[in-house]
Amino acid sequence: MPELHLNTQAVHAGYEPEKQFGSVSQPLILTTTFERENGVPREHIYTRNENPNRISLETKLAILEGGADAIAFASGQAAAFAVFQAVLEPGAHVLIPDDCYHGIRTLFAQVYQGWQINCEEVDMSVVSHVADAIRPETKLIWIETPTNPKLKIFDIQGIAKVATDKGIPVACDNTWATPFFQRPFELGVDIVMHSTTKYFGGHSDILGGAVILREKGTIAARIRAIQGTGGGVPSPFDCWLLNRSLATFPLRMPVHSSNAQALAQFLHHQAAIERVYYPGLPTHPNHEVAKTQMQGGFGGMLSIEVKGGMEKAIELAENLQIFTHATSLGGVESLIEHRRSAEGLHPRSPDNLLRVSVGIEFVGDLIRDFEQALARL
Ligand SMILES: *Cc1c(COP(=O)(O)O)cnc(C)c1O
């Protein structure tokens, strides 16, 4: 068969109607343990190690991202943690972006405290900054692009080349762009991480994560062992639900993105908005890089800074009627969040910054909602 399109894979990959009943929708295999035959395990043994719903999900995730293997976890954080556990060791140095999901910073600051891991933040907007920061003991370069919450864009191919020349693995958190818009493996990345809680789940009702590997090998085997033995696994029901959500993922993404593009352009012209962060705007400092490494759109996330500080920002968020003031992102419904309040002990976001997850509602309604909310400021 010729290679199938992403939309077809999103529907079919990982499952064929099963033999017992010919069930078209995959049955939910709610069991922790599996019967042995004459003392020998048949296919599966125990759900922490594997479960048919999880195998289907992992097969689909690997195909959608274009990798050789996918390993599912109970959250995005558990997935990121598994990557760090697999490639770092005491004395290791790791580079992370100076703007990235705050939970990644927090993992190094809190959980890895005392493990002698040296985590250095770099502004990766310029590739040479990454090259200059590499040391003999650098064991991992962690990219996230576009970043959370400032939508910085990093040249994936440029960074991957610098790292590969030195034999250092590169991991990319592809949660915001998703393989619909951005394909890190084709740009030289070794490991892709996802919070499947976001666009893959798409309905704000499943927590999950995944690590996808470009090649099977030592790192893949270590992460697989961390999954089964560490035990941070998703339940069969979460795998089933996520698998079902993935069927419509390629249909949702272009709507998220075109809505965000239109809203970003509208907000860019509003006097009450000091700044719009969106890689699809020509004013974005790395718009040209975004254009070369993202295809078909720039994603559904944007951030804004509101004139008048934190008070006005929160007032704007509260004035909106369709956008819900809540954290998280990637669901069908639009959300807005005063980001600084969600960043825990050491917040970094400017206090007038609102992060917007643009949903798949009718874009005219979303823009009109902002018009009325801005008029009441
Ligand atoms: C949400 C998020 C995470 C963490 O994922 P959880 O599923 O909440 O653990 C990591 N990276 C990015 C970019 C995210 O948006």
Side-chain angles (χ1 to χ4, degrees):
M1 243 213 296
E3 211 167 290
L4 298 172
H5 189 273
L6 185 83
N7 293 37
T8 310
Q9 300 283 23
V11 174
H12 292 286
Y15 178 69
E16 280 177 26
E18 47 80 47
K19 294 184 192 77
Q20 195 177 0
F21 301 113
S23 169
V24 169
S25 159
Q26 185 180 27
L28 170 56
I29 312 291
L30 263 190
T31 187
T32 53
T33 187
F34 298 85
E35 187 187 25
R36 296 183 190 192
E37 221 162 56
N38 304 320
V40 183
R42 284 152 68 181
E43 222 174 315
H44 312 299
I45 301 174
Y46 185 58
T47 280
R48 169 151 50 72
N49 299 101
E50 51 177 43
N51 173 282
N53 293 109
R54 200 171 87 206
I55 292 172
S56 289
L57 171 66
E58 291 178 337
T59 304
K60 190 182 278 189
L61 287 172
I63 288 173
L64 295 183
E65 191 65 59
D69 201 6
I71 303 166
F73 288 89
S75 70
Q77 281 293 89
F81 197 41
V83 174
F84 300 144
Q85 284 174 314
V87 302
L88 301 179
E89 63 200 12
H93 174 243
V94 51
L95 298 179
I96 67 168
D98 63 346
D99 186 56
C100 73
Y101 177 64
H102 78 102
I104 299 297
R105 275 202 314 272
T106 310
L107 264 183
F108 285 107
Q110 291 178 352
V111 181
Y112 274 116
Q113 220 185 26
W115 291 75
Q116 292 165 316
I117 287 174
N118 187 351
C119 172
E120 183 178 344
E121 294 184 15
V122 177
D123 175 8
M124 300 189 176
S125 312
V126 180
V127 175
S128 66
H129 291 172
V130 179
D132 293 345
I134 291 174
R135 303 180 195 170
E137 64 274 21
T138 306
K139 294 287 183 221
L140 176 69
I141 297 177
W142 181 268
I143 328 181
E144 177 185 316
T145 177
T147 63
N148 180 354
K150 286 193 174 170
L151 286 294
K152 281 192 173 190
I153 295 289
F154 307 136
D155 174 351
I156 301 176
Q157 194 159 30
I159 294 173
K161 178 152 191 342
V162 164
T164 310
D165 286 350
K166 305 228 161 161
I168 304 167
V170 182
C172 179
D173 181 340
N174 205 27
T175 301
W176 279 29
T178 81
F180 190 87
F181 298 116
Q182 178 170 284
R183 315 209 38 102
F185 289 136
E186 292 169 17
L187 301 170
V189 160
D190 305 287
I191 305 167
V192 166
M193 171 259 164
H194 277 280
S195 166
T196 57
T197 311
K198 313 294 171 52
Y199 289 107
F200 282 174
H203 298 75
S204 307
D205 53 10
I206 319 160
L207 199 68
V211 181
I212 302 143
L213 289 306
R214 193 182 59 199
E215 290 165 13
K216 292 200 176 183
T218 337
I219 297 179
R222 277 182 68 92
I223 295 176
R224 183 64 75 188
I226 290 164
Q227 178 198 42
T229 313
V233 295
S235 71
F237 182 59
D238 282 353
C239 294
W240 181 90
L241 205 52
L242 186 53
N243 226 330
R244 171 215 176 106
S245 296
L246 281 168
T248 56
F249 150 74
L251 303 184
R252 289 182 265 113
M253 293 319 291
V255 187
H256 282 294
S257 180
S258 62
N259 282 1
Q261 181 78 41
L263 188 62
Q265 278 161 2
F266 166 81
L267 291 167
H268 184 66
H269 292 110
Q270 302 308 305
I273 307 296
E274 212 162 86
R275 182 161 179 187
V276 180
Y277 298 88
Y278 187 66
L281 292 178
T283 48
H284 185 287
N286 264 352
H287 176 62
E288 290 306 317
V289 177
K291 268 202 317 204
T292 61
Q293 70 187 18
M294 300 181 83
Q295 275 90 44
F298 301 92
M301 293 300 298
L302 61 93
S303 291
I304 53 177
E305 285 184 31
V306 184
K307 272 189 196 145
M310 173 164 162
E311 206 179 309
K312 283 286 171 198
I314 291 184
E315 197 180 320
L316 175 60
E318 292 300 321
N319 281 357
L320 288 161
Q321 287 165 1
I322 297 173
F323 291 78
T324 304
H325 191 170
T327 195
S328 202
L329 60 112
V332 290
E333 64 287 295
S334 291
L335 302 179
I336 191 159
E337 176 191 30
H338 181 250
R339 188 61 191 154
R340 195 177 171 84
S341 337
E343 285 176 334
L345 282 179
H346 304 287
R348 293 264 184 93
S349 295
D351 67 0
N352 65 339
L353 184 140
L354 296 174
R355 195 187 73 181
V356 186
S357 172
V358 185
I360 62 167
E361 300 95 336
F362 176 61
V363 67
D365 290 336
L366 299 181
I367 290 174
R368 272 191 294 279
D369 195 19
F370 260 97
E371 276 172 343
Q372 66 78 25
L374 287 164
R376 290 197 286 135
L377 274 188

